[in-house]
Amino acid sequence: AAPYQHRPSRRRQGCPAPEGGRDTLVSGPIDDIPSISMSSKKAIAVPSPDSSPRNALAPLVGQVSRLWRRAVDRRLQPFGLSQATWRPLLHLSRVPAPVYQKDLANALMVESSSVVRVLDALQRQGFIERREGQDRRAKEIVLTDQGRTIVDQLEQISARVRDQTLANVSDQ
């Protein structure tokens, strides 16, 4: 297998946004999202030997979660966003400000050093700002207007992925 090679996104290189130059994240069909059905003969995950519907559910939930994140990742990739960057943006949008780096790392269940690199990238993209708080040793992390705009579009994409993924699941 060929080694992984990082390819910078077109967005960071200053190229026009994808999709005919339109600067939007939500457009076009999402064909890469599998829909799930508990009655499907074609199982997504391998059930346990005592494969009652209840026991088969846990591996399916895990698989759907991974597929869901992967589908959102693919949709956001042309804009330089990945799970590593959109998860912190969503978290920052959903909790009361201020958020500190240590708290963000704990909430995302990642190491503080990893969060530093992600926050550096988000700040370079203009999605967050680091501000001096009351404790001068810790910086507050806040979304910028551009960050809130991306989060709004991210929420729309996530809703589309959810709707398509769960299209065959009844409310009962």
Side-chain angles (χ1 to χ4, degrees), residues 120-139:
D120 287 346
L122 292 173
Q123 190 168 13
R124 279 192 304 273
Q125 289 177 292
F127 298 146
I128 65 158
E129 289 180 357
R130 292 173 169 135
R131 298 181 182 160
E132 196 170 290
Q134 291 185 0
D135 180 353
R136 297 184 68 184
R137 295 170 294 173
K139 300 279 185 183

Side-chain angles (χ1 to χ4, degrees), residues 4 6-12 18 23-26 69-90 92 118-128 143 146-155 157-158:
Y4 171 79
H6 174 72
R7 291 182 12 208
S9 78
R10 295 177 2 208
R11 188 69 156 186
R12 286 189 216 140
D23 194 14
T24 180
L25 297 177
V26 184
R69 287 191 309 265
R70 193 175 303 147
V72 173
D73 268 357
R74 279 194 294 265
R75 195 75 173 128
L76 296 174
Q77 190 176 26
F79 296 90
L81 294 175
S82 67
Q83 181 178 332
T85 52
W86 60 256
R87 281 186 61 222
L89 289 173
L90 280 179
L92 290 169
V118 169
L119 293 178
D120 287 346
L122 292 173
Q123 190 168 13
R124 279 192 304 273
Q125 289 177 292
F127 298 146
I128 65 158
L143 285 174
Q146 185 179 356
R148 282 187 284 283
T149 299
I150 287 293
V151 167
D152 289 343
Q153 292 180 340
L154 175 59
E155 294 275 13
I157 288 170
S158 183

